[in-house]
Amino acid sequence: MNVLFPIAEAYPFYKIGGLGDVGGSLPPALSKLSIDIRIALPKHPEVRLPKDAYQESSFEIIYNQEALSVNVYRAMLPESNVLTYLFEENKYLSKSTDASDNHADKFSVFSLAVATWVAEYSPYWQPQVIHCHDWHTSLIPVLLKHKHPHLDYKTIITIHNLAYQGITQTPVAKHLNLNPEECHILSWDQQDGEINIMLEGLLHASHITTVSPQYAKEILTQEYGEKIDAILQTKATTITGILNGIDTNFFNPDKDKLLFQNFSKSTWEKGKLNNRVELMKQHGINYDQHQILISFIGRVDPYQKGIGLIIQAIEDNVFPENIIFFFLGTGDPNLETELHSAAKNKPNIKIVTRFDEPLAHNLYAASHLSLIPSRFEPCGLVQMMAMRYGSLPIARKTGGLADTIIHNHDGFLFNEYNHKSMTEAIYQAIEVVKNQNKLYTTMVEKALDKDFSWKIPATEYKSLYENLILNQK
Ligand code: GLC
């Protein structure tokens, strides 16, 4: 079975967030199930071509009435046998994808390049299924349907985050030479002078998936539907939730080279303590061994991750002096400043605002608890990584967090997105770690035992591909 996997990020080539983790770890798991899966990735300026890379093809596309030349390099995704096609183009794809800008042109060019390449310039390898991800690649099903109607690819769009739909005033349909007369959806979408790129894709794709079963239900509601719930309801029978996995070899406390000390289920108590003591030393935090370490690792995002709740908690001294709270994350500059000023003169609060993969691993390994107060969470990978390293999540019961954490069993869940609900959960968790050693130990061991590998989700994707090919979905 041949599957093309166009995506904006794939670790280690390129990663901004969870999308990059999935882009780098799901394809190798699918390839182990004998699927010939190949990634298509923009050659962002940050991407370094590996030594084995070579140029496979080169062709022109027309975008906004201008001829652009595209080079396609092939290279192996490092430490895997997954072939990756890196699309190089000098005007749009060579721009960095910083968080502030709308990159409608960049990803429209990428989508056009992939659709044109697969339909016209890849005679020796053809996919049966094209598995797209998020708004960045959502125009691929649209372009294929309208520009290459004779080709019968099955297309999937996986929604990693419905909050980002690629809504833009850039007239990308015009730039792509998609005629609104033929594409009736485009014409009504464009009446307000904007186009919703993800919506166009969702309406054209053969199937839609979300990154957790719970999120598949939530997006059909007004609370989580990001203004397109009513339209998604009409597609409900073609939406499936498949839980993400993580690369359990890379995230493995027993082998992880980034840790000060490795540990397993039989050595976690000592191991986590030693990692904690060392980490505190490295960061100049005065630490006595009875203090509980709570961490937060994630994007500094104004809507999703509950940063507002965290700032309020710091300001209201929810973390008493015998608790260390360690925050690691980067994103919105104003929120970063607010975090730093809330933590001022509080020696037990540490704020580090940068992207730092090794520090993240060390924090998972060192901390007792991981705070994840998301307003919404399509899947969330942090809770899985935390549990893998024996750090118990304190998380809002939403999306993938609700699917992966069992309250009082391997973590702590709270229902309401507010200060009170979160604070109660934090205090309950602290109480368990501090005074209920037997329960705490059992919970950590249950967390360490959990299987967050791609093994099961990958088989679910495989049967979805098979069903689509057999035309059953
Ligand atoms: C997005 C979502 C997150 C999910 C990740 C990978 O970053 O916000 O919940 O885990 O994509 O699918």
Side-chain angles (χ1 to χ4, degrees), residues 292 426-437:
I292 294 172
I426 294 175
Y427 286 148
Q428 192 212 337
I430 291 175
E431 165 63 22
V432 169
V433 181
K434 212 155 104 191
N435 298 323
Q436 301 183 41
N437 196 262

Side-chain angles (χ1 to χ4, degrees), residues 17-19 22 160-161 211 244 299 304-305 377-381:
L19 183 68
V22 174
H160 293 259
N161 200 336
V211 287
N244 279 339
R299 257 181 301 122
Q304 183 180 350
K305 298 285 181 185
E377 198 59 80
C379 179
L381 303 174

